[in-house]
PDB file of all heavy atoms in Angstrom:
ATOM      1  N   HIS A1171      37.687  74.866 -41.596  1.00  0.00           N
ATOM      2  CA  HIS A1171      38.171  74.347 -40.351  1.00  0.00           C
ATOM      3  C   HIS A1171      39.631  73.906 -40.756  1.00  0.00           C
ATOM      4  O   HIS A1171      40.041  73.663 -41.797  1.00  0.00           O
ATOM      5  CB  HIS A1171      37.319  73.290 -39.781  1.00  0.00           C
ATOM      6  CG  HIS A1171      37.177  72.027 -40.736  1.00  0.00           C
ATOM      7  ND1 HIS A1171      36.380  71.963 -41.892  1.00  0.00           N
ATOM      8  CD2 HIS A1171      37.828  70.802 -40.696  1.00  0.00           C
ATOM      9  CE1 HIS A1171      36.529  70.843 -42.388  1.00  0.00           C
ATOM     10  NE2 HIS A1171      37.445  70.057 -41.728  1.00  0.00           N
ATOM     11  N   THR A1172      40.390  73.796 -39.544  1.00  0.00           N
ATOM     12  CA  THR A1172      41.764  73.316 -39.730  1.00  0.00           C
ATOM     13  C   THR A1172      41.918  71.990 -38.990  1.00  0.00           C
ATOM     14  O   THR A1172      41.056  71.619 -38.150  1.00  0.00           O
ATOM     15  CB  THR A1172      42.837  74.308 -39.267  1.00  0.00           C
ATOM     16  OG1 THR A1172      42.475  74.620 -37.914  1.00  0.00           O
ATOM     17  CG2 THR A1172      42.619  75.592 -40.015  1.00  0.00           C
ATOM     18  N   CYS A1173      43.062  71.352 -39.241  1.00  0.00           N
ATOM     19  CA  CYS A1173      43.321  70.030 -38.313  1.00  0.00           C
ATOM     20  C   CYS A1173      44.796  70.284 -37.892  1.00  0.00           C
ATOM     21  O   CYS A1173      45.802  70.209 -38.740  1.00  0.00           O
ATOM     22  CB  CYS A1173      43.143  68.785 -39.167  1.00  0.00           C
ATOM     23  SG  CYS A1173      43.016  67.348 -38.208  1.00  0.00           S
ATOM     24  N   SER A1174      44.918  70.510 -36.623  1.00  0.00           N
ATOM     25  CA  SER A1174      46.298  70.740 -36.075  1.00  0.00           C
ATOM     26  C   SER A1174      46.747  69.604 -35.139  1.00  0.00           C
ATOM     27  O   SER A1174      46.143  69.375 -34.075  1.00  0.00           O
ATOM     28  CB  SER A1174      46.245  72.117 -35.287  1.00  0.00           C
ATOM     29  OG  SER A1174      45.971  73.078 -36.037  1.00  0.00           O
ATOM     30  N   ASP A1175      47.714  68.841 -35.550  1.00  0.00           N
ATOM     31  CA  ASP A1175      48.277  67.654 -34.836  1.00  0.00           C
ATOM     32  C   ASP A1175      49.561  67.972 -34.127  1.00  0.00           C
ATOM     33  O   ASP A1175      50.606  67.738 -34.769  1.00  0.00           O
ATOM     34  CB  ASP A1175      48.337  66.462 -35.744  1.00  0.00           C
ATOM     35  CG  ASP A1175      48.917  65.282 -35.060  1.00  0.00           C
ATOM     36  OD1 ASP A1175      48.849  65.136 -33.765  1.00  0.00           O
ATOM     37  OD2 ASP A1175      49.461  64.375 -35.787  1.00  0.00           O
ATOM     38  N   GLY A1176      49.463  68.472 -32.921  1.00  0.00           N
ATOM     39  CA  GLY A1176      50.748  68.923 -32.310  1.00  0.00           C
ATOM     40  C   GLY A1176      51.492  67.888 -31.611  1.00  0.00           C
ATOM     41  O   GLY A1176      52.622  67.970 -31.425  1.00  0.00           O
ATOM     42  N   ASN A1177      50.813  66.702 -31.281  1.00  0.00           N
ATOM     43  CA  ASN A1177      51.484  65.639 -30.562  1.00  0.00           C
ATOM     44  C   ASN A1177      51.685  64.421 -31.459  1.00  0.00           C
ATOM     45  O   ASN A1177      52.271  63.357 -30.930  1.00  0.00           O
ATOM     46  CB  ASN A1177      50.668  65.268 -29.328  1.00  0.00           C
ATOM     47  CG  ASN A1177      49.234  64.724 -29.740  1.00  0.00           C
ATOM     48  OD1 ASN A1177      48.906  64.564 -30.824  1.00  0.00           O
ATOM     49  ND2 ASN A1177      48.362  64.614 -28.728  1.00  0.00           N
ATOM     50  N   GLY A1178      51.514  64.439 -32.692  1.00  0.00           N
ATOM     51  CA  GLY A1178      51.856  63.353 -33.616  1.00  0.00           C
ATOM     52  C   GLY A1178      50.945  62.152 -33.563  1.00  0.00           C
ATOM     53  O   GLY A1178      51.435  61.100 -33.993  1.00  0.00           O
ATOM     54  N   ASP A1179      49.774  62.297 -33.007  1.00  0.00           N
ATOM     55  CA  ASP A1179      48.907  61.034 -32.949  1.00  0.00           C
ATOM     56  C   ASP A1179      47.934  61.032 -34.113  1.00  0.00           C
ATOM     57  O   ASP A1179      47.005  60.092 -34.089  1.00  0.00           O
ATOM     58  CB  ASP A1179      48.088  61.004 -31.696  1.00  0.00           C
ATOM     59  CG  ASP A1179      47.193  62.133 -31.497  1.00  0.00           C
ATOM     60  OD1 ASP A1179      47.120  63.083 -32.294  1.00  0.00           O
ATOM     61  OD2 ASP A1179      46.426  62.113 -30.452  1.00  0.00           O
ATOM     62  N   ASP A1180      48.011  61.887 -35.049  1.00  0.00           N
ATOM     63  CA  ASP A1180      47.218  61.927 -36.275  1.00  0.00           C
ATOM     64  C   ASP A1180      45.808  62.531 -36.064  1.00  0.00           C
ATOM     65  O   ASP A1180      45.027  62.623 -36.969  1.00  0.00           O
ATOM     66  CB  ASP A1180      46.976  60.548 -36.974  1.00  0.00           C
ATOM     67  CG  ASP A1180      48.261  60.031 -37.734  1.00  0.00           C
ATOM     68  OD1 ASP A1180      49.093  60.829 -38.033  1.00  0.00           O
ATOM     69  OD2 ASP A1180      48.241  58.835 -37.963  1.00  0.00           O
ATOM     70  N   PHE A1181      45.546  63.051 -34.852  1.00  0.00           N
ATOM     71  CA  PHE A1181      44.342  63.655 -34.565  1.00  0.00           C
ATOM     72  C   PHE A1181      44.499  65.086 -34.189  1.00  0.00           C
ATOM     73  O   PHE A1181      45.515  65.468 -33.500  1.00  0.00           O
ATOM     74  CB  PHE A1181      43.588  62.934 -33.421  1.00  0.00           C
ATOM     75  CG  PHE A1181      43.137  61.498 -33.809  1.00  0.00           C
ATOM     76  CD1 PHE A1181      43.914  60.438 -33.507  1.00  0.00           C
ATOM     77  CD2 PHE A1181      41.929  61.374 -34.503  1.00  0.00           C
ATOM     78  CE1 PHE A1181      43.573  59.156 -33.893  1.00  0.00           C
ATOM     79  CE2 PHE A1181      41.563  60.107 -34.836  1.00  0.00           C
ATOM     80  CZ  PHE A1181      42.317  58.939 -34.585  1.00  0.00           C
ATOM     81  N   ASP A1182      43.497  65.986 -34.448  1.00  0.00           N
ATOM     82  CA  ASP A1182      43.587  67.347 -34.053  1.00  0.00           C
ATOM     83  C   ASP A1182      43.532  67.276 -32.465  1.00  0.00           C
ATOM     84  O   ASP A1182      42.806  66.614 -31.901  1.00  0.00           O
ATOM     85  CB  ASP A1182      42.290  68.055 -34.584  1.00  0.00           C
ATOM     86  CG  ASP A1182      42.404  69.615 -34.215  1.00  0.00           C
ATOM     87  OD1 ASP A1182      41.912  69.914 -33.130  1.00  0.00           O
ATOM     88  OD2 ASP A1182      42.766  70.325 -35.192  1.00  0.00           O
ATOM     89  N   ASP A1183      44.358  68.286 -31.992  1.00  0.00           N
ATOM     90  CA  ASP A1183      44.468  68.262 -30.472  1.00  0.00           C
ATOM     91  C   ASP A1183      43.312  68.731 -29.792  1.00  0.00           C
ATOM     92  O   ASP A1183      43.071  68.456 -28.572  1.00  0.00           O
ATOM     93  CB  ASP A1183      45.706  69.131 -30.182  1.00  0.00           C
ATOM     94  CG  ASP A1183      47.048  68.631 -30.719  1.00  0.00           C
ATOM     95  OD1 ASP A1183      47.152  67.437 -30.874  1.00  0.00           O
ATOM     96  OD2 ASP A1183      47.903  69.479 -30.978  1.00  0.00           O
ATOM     97  N   VAL A1184      42.339  69.383 -30.448  1.00  0.00           N
ATOM     98  CA  VAL A1184      41.101  69.899 -29.875  1.00  0.00           C
ATOM     99  C   VAL A1184      39.896  69.249 -30.263  1.00  0.00           C
ATOM    100  O   VAL A1184      39.072  68.744 -29.535  1.00  0.00           O
ATOM    101  CB  VAL A1184      41.044  71.449 -30.065  1.00  0.00           C
ATOM    102  CG1 VAL A1184      39.710  72.006 -29.489  1.00  0.00           C
ATOM    103  CG2 VAL A1184      42.199  72.131 -29.490  1.00  0.00           C
ATOM    104  N   THR A1185      39.702  69.138 -31.614  1.00  0.00           N
ATOM    105  CA  THR A1185      38.458  68.561 -32.239  1.00  0.00           C
ATOM    106  C   THR A1185      38.587  67.088 -32.332  1.00  0.00           C
ATOM    107  O   THR A1185      37.502  66.360 -32.591  1.00  0.00           O
ATOM    108  CB  THR A1185      38.147  69.121 -33.601  1.00  0.00           C
ATOM    109  OG1 THR A1185      39.160  68.701 -34.540  1.00  0.00           O
ATOM    110  CG2 THR A1185      38.178  70.763 -33.498  1.00  0.00           C
ATOM    111  N   HIS A1186      39.743  66.529 -32.254  1.00  0.00           N
ATOM    112  CA  HIS A1186      39.905  65.061 -32.539  1.00  0.00           C
ATOM    113  C   HIS A1186      39.625  64.614 -34.046  1.00  0.00           C
ATOM    114  O   HIS A1186      39.317  63.453 -34.169  1.00  0.00           O
ATOM    115  CB  HIS A1186      39.164  64.235 -31.480  1.00  0.00           C
ATOM    116  CG  HIS A1186      39.468  64.448 -30.161  1.00  0.00           C
ATOM    117  ND1 HIS A1186      40.650  63.881 -29.517  1.00  0.00           N
ATOM    118  CD2 HIS A1186      38.835  65.242 -29.172  1.00  0.00           C
ATOM    119  CE1 HIS A1186      40.768  64.356 -28.294  1.00  0.00           C
ATOM    120  NE2 HIS A1186      39.674  65.098 -27.980  1.00  0.00           N
ATOM    121  N   GLU A1187      39.629  65.484 -34.857  1.00  0.00           N
ATOM    122  CA  GLU A1187      39.473  65.208 -36.233  1.00  0.00           C
ATOM    123  C   GLU A1187      40.602  64.300 -36.683  1.00  0.00           C
ATOM    124  O   GLU A1187      41.799  64.664 -36.298  1.00  0.00           O
ATOM    125  CB  GLU A1187      39.343  66.384 -37.094  1.00  0.00           C
ATOM    126  CG  GLU A1187      39.272  66.104 -38.623  1.00  0.00           C
ATOM    127  CD  GLU A1187      39.289  67.357 -39.600  1.00  0.00           C
ATOM    128  OE1 GLU A1187      39.257  68.400 -39.014  1.00  0.00           O
ATOM    129  OE2 GLU A1187      39.370  67.165 -40.804  1.00  0.00           O
ATOM    130  N   TYR A1188      40.405  63.304 -37.522  1.00  0.00           N
ATOM    131  CA  TYR A1188      41.460  62.461 -38.073  1.00  0.00           C
ATOM    132  C   TYR A1188      42.162  63.260 -39.316  1.00  0.00           C
ATOM    133  O   TYR A1188      41.678  63.357 -40.287  1.00  0.00           O
ATOM    134  CB  TYR A1188      40.933  61.204 -38.531  1.00  0.00           C
ATOM    135  CG  TYR A1188      41.927  60.156 -39.086  1.00  0.00           C
ATOM    136  CD1 TYR A1188      43.054  59.778 -38.252  1.00  0.00           C
ATOM    137  CD2 TYR A1188      41.910  59.691 -40.278  1.00  0.00           C
ATOM    138  CE1 TYR A1188      43.955  58.808 -38.717  1.00  0.00           C
ATOM    139  CE2 TYR A1188      42.836  58.798 -40.924  1.00  0.00           C
ATOM    140  CZ  TYR A1188      43.882  58.361 -40.085  1.00  0.00           C
ATOM    141  OH  TYR A1188      44.808  57.535 -40.475  1.00  0.00           O
ATOM    142  N   CYS A1189      43.306  63.744 -38.955  1.00  0.00           N
ATOM    143  CA  CYS A1189      43.963  64.701 -39.760  1.00  0.00           C
ATOM    144  C   CYS A1189      44.345  64.138 -41.247  1.00  0.00           C
ATOM    145  O   CYS A1189      44.333  64.922 -42.265  1.00  0.00           O
ATOM    146  CB  CYS A1189      45.332  65.316 -39.147  1.00  0.00           C
ATOM    147  SG  CYS A1189      44.824  66.414 -37.791  1.00  0.00           S
ATOM    148  N   PRO A1190      44.782  62.832 -41.300  1.00  0.00           N
ATOM    149  CA  PRO A1190      45.070  62.378 -42.654  1.00  0.00           C
ATOM    150  C   PRO A1190      43.844  62.450 -43.569  1.00  0.00           C
ATOM    151  O   PRO A1190      44.057  62.310 -44.760  1.00  0.00           O
ATOM    152  CB  PRO A1190      45.442  60.929 -42.399  1.00  0.00           C
ATOM    153  CG  PRO A1190      46.121  60.937 -41.031  1.00  0.00           C
ATOM    154  CD  PRO A1190      45.203  61.981 -40.261  1.00  0.00           C
TER     155      PRO A1190
END
Side-chain angles (χ1 to χ4, degrees):
H1171 63 283
T1172 60
C1173 200
S1174 301
D1175 176 19
N1177 57 13
D1179 65 354
D1180 285 341
F1181 292 94
D1182 185 276
D1183 300 331
V1184 177
T1185 67
H1186 299 284
E1187 178 186 351
Y1188 181 59
C1189 290

